[in-house]
Amino acid sequence: MADLLIGDGLRARDHHRLEDAARAAGPLHAARRPDGVLVQVVTVGLELTRRLLADRRLSKDSAALQREMRRQFAAAGREQTDVDGLFGPSMLNSDNPRHARLRALAVKAFTNRAVQRLAPRVEQITADLVRDLPEGAADLVPALAVPVPLHVIGEVLGVPEDDRARVRSLIETMLLMDPVVSQPASDALGGYFHELLTGDVLDEGSLFGALARADDNGDKLTHDELIAMAFLLVVAGHETTAGLIANVVHDALDNGLWERAAAEPDLVPALVEETLRHNSPVRHATHRITTEPVEIDGVVVPAGTLLLINLGSAGRCPRAHADAADYRLGREGGGHATFGHGPHFCLGSALARLETETVVRHLVREFPRTTRTGGEQPPVTHNDIMVSLKSLPVVLRR
């Protein structure tokens, strides 16, 4: 079961059973990533999950993470030693004071006011895509869930429209965590961002352009920090939101709530929040490494251990929620940890909610009698972080 906690071949909601059983069995489960790296998957309740996400002994330092991965590659006789892409020195893979410095330079682009300025563009992108959907059979992942956040983050970052499909393809390949194909994809994406930064097509009004000029009391991002920030924002800024959009639509259809949402559009934010809790598109918080022995629910974890903290089992923690395994609206208290907790709480949470709510509102208004097709659940991604749908076949009906 342990390897299935980051493993392959799952279909929608299969992982719920695995994660909830793991939480009931104990707090730690050794699992091996597709590239051979050994990690400990943490499955504990919501309260402890939040404490661990904010625990300074669980380091996010890029250099420490890369050292341990390279040590494991070398011990296994593996040639792959370049893990700079997703584990580069971005604010995601930094501890304070470096994390605080990088976050201060980026946070202005993700304030509620900044996100609301994007709302009209999100509306327009969504309306155009929904308008082009014909009645009948459709796969909503490539038709809608992926294009909306991809175009939004592309515009925010200043990635030209003609380049976005290539960027998406490279990200998908990189997230497979298969060294044969993932490393070349990571190298190609890094090279693309270098060209974008040093070329003459970068929109100075874009977030990427603003980050290149960002100055906090004389402090600016270096070129390498900008590349790492681009990796973080383009992956986190569209991959996770695409997964959330697909999961919300899937869960509303599967739980008999689609036509109700069409009649009561004010329910859409509640659908989004319940999906974030019950069926998070982010399966695990990104990698951490212990800087000293840490006790987790009675088990001592040695220093130098790579950890993945499971977020789905925390959201479905029965101590935090009555009937936690069920999908239902109107819950109070408890909440979830899908956007993290503590210093690394997701900067893009407001944008993700805005995009998802906008897509669902437009889709349910245009196609209120939509149904899912096929008897079985659709397949999901199989990397160690995401658990989003690969496809979502439906019949769109007005």
Side-chain angles (χ1 to χ4, degrees):
M1 181 184 73
D3 279 347
L4 286 176
L5 289 171
I6 56 174
D8 196 353
L10 299 178
R11 291 188 172 269
R13 291 201 293 261
D14 280 353
H15 58 290
H16 292 189
R17 172 180 51 81
L18 294 165
E19 293 162 358
D20 294 348
R23 184 191 61 239
L28 290 156
H29 311 272
R32 201 169 291 279
R33 299 185 341 166
D35 62 3
V37 170
L38 183 67
V39 300
Q40 292 286 337
V41 178
V42 180
T43 53
V44 294
L46 180 59
E47 182 181 351
L48 181 52
T49 292
R50 285 172 169 163
R51 291 206 305 268
L52 292 172
L53 290 172
D55 193 324
R56 294 181 180 180
R57 298 172 299 171
L58 276 56
S59 173
K60 297 283 291 166
D61 179 62
S62 172
L65 292 167
Q66 291 193 43
R67 273 196 306 272
E68 173 55 19
M69 291 180 187
R70 289 183 174 123
R71 184 196 69 76
Q72 291 196 32
F73 290 143
R78 299 282 294 276
E79 294 183 2
Q80 185 195 14
T81 57
D82 187 359
V83 288
D84 288 343
L86 288 175
F87 299 96
S90 70
M91 61 184 175
L92 180 68
N93 298 317
S94 300
D95 296 327
N96 286 335
R98 191 165 188 270
H99 170 261
R101 167 184 165 260
L102 293 173
R103 192 174 177 102
L105 288 165
V107 70
K108 295 173 186 176
F110 291 96
T111 63
N112 285 334
R113 179 178 296 180
V115 168
Q116 287 308 311
R117 283 200 297 269
L118 286 170
R121 189 62 188 132
V122 174
E123 287 278 347
Q124 187 62 57
I125 290 170
T126 303
D128 290 345
L129 286 166
V130 171
R131 189 183 307 113
D132 289 341
L133 292 173
E135 272 197 282
D139 183 348
L140 290 182
V141 170
L144 194 62
V146 168
V148 169
L150 180 62
H151 284 300
V152 170
I153 199 63
E155 292 195 10
V156 167
L157 287 175
V159 175
E161 186 170 355
D162 290 346
D163 294 347
R164 292 171 194 168
R166 176 188 172 215
V167 168
R168 164 73 183 178
S169 177
L170 290 172
I171 290 169
E172 287 182 315
T173 304
M174 189 170 62
L175 288 175
L176 293 175
M177 296 297 179
D178 177 351
V180 175
V181 294
S182 296
Q183 192 59 56
S186 176
D187 293 341
L189 192 59
Y192 172 78
F193 287 135
H194 171 78
E195 292 175 5
L196 189 62
L197 270 173
T198 57
D200 56 6
V201 298
L202 182 62
D203 179 2
E204 292 193 359
S206 68
L207 172 59
F208 211 5
L211 286 172
R213 301 189 311 277
D215 190 324
D216 186 29
N217 295 323
D219 185 19
K220 296 185 69 173
L221 293 170
T222 67
H223 183 79
D224 287 347
E225 287 171 341
L226 279 166
I227 298 293
M229 187 76 77
F231 266 96
L232 167 60
L233 294 177
V234 79
V235 174
H238 98 275
E239 188 74 24
T240 54
T241 304
L244 178 58
I245 291 168
N247 284 3
V248 172
V249 175
H250 172 273
D251 288 355
L253 290 171
D254 256 24
N255 287 280
L257 294 167
W258 190 256
E259 289 193 16
R260 182 180 167 193
E264 303 175 60
D266 288 347
L267 286 179
V268 169
L271 284 172
V272 174
E273 286 308 306
E274 181 65 349
T275 299
L276 284 165
R277 180 200 72 83
H278 185 262
N279 194 14
S280 167
V282 184
R283 193 175 190 188
H284 302 107
T286 49
H287 298 69
R288 285 161 166 79
I289 186 167
T290 52
T291 59
E292 60 183 82
V294 177
E295 182 180 331
I296 299 178
D297 204 16
V299 178
V300 176
V301 182
T305 301
L306 291 173
L307 297 178
L308 287 172
I309 300 175
N310 185 266
L311 301 177
S313 65
R316 295 185 301 276
C317 169
R319 293 192 298 274
H321 298 280
D323 303 319
D326 297 334
Y327 186 99
R328 61 180 175 83
L329 305 184
R331 292 184 181 274
E332 295 182 1
H336 55 79
T338 294
F339 290 122
H341 188 72
H344 286 275
F345 183 82
C346 177
L347 271 181
S349 60
L351 181 57
R353 284 187 172 101
L354 171 69
E355 291 177 81
T356 304
E357 291 175 13
T358 302
V359 170
V360 176
R361 274 194 297 102
H362 276 268
L363 192 61
V364 77
R365 182 173 62 215
E366 188 70 20
F367 300 103
R369 296 174 53 246
T370 292
T371 56
R372 229 174 36 82
T373 58
E376 66 177 8
Q377 293 289 342
V380 298
T381 54
H382 51 84
N383 62 63
D384 52 351
I385 302 298
M386 297 293 298
V387 68
S388 53
L389 298 175
K390 292 180 180 179
S391 64
L392 181 53
V394 299
V395 176
L396 295 171
R397 294 189 177 98
R398 289 189 167 89

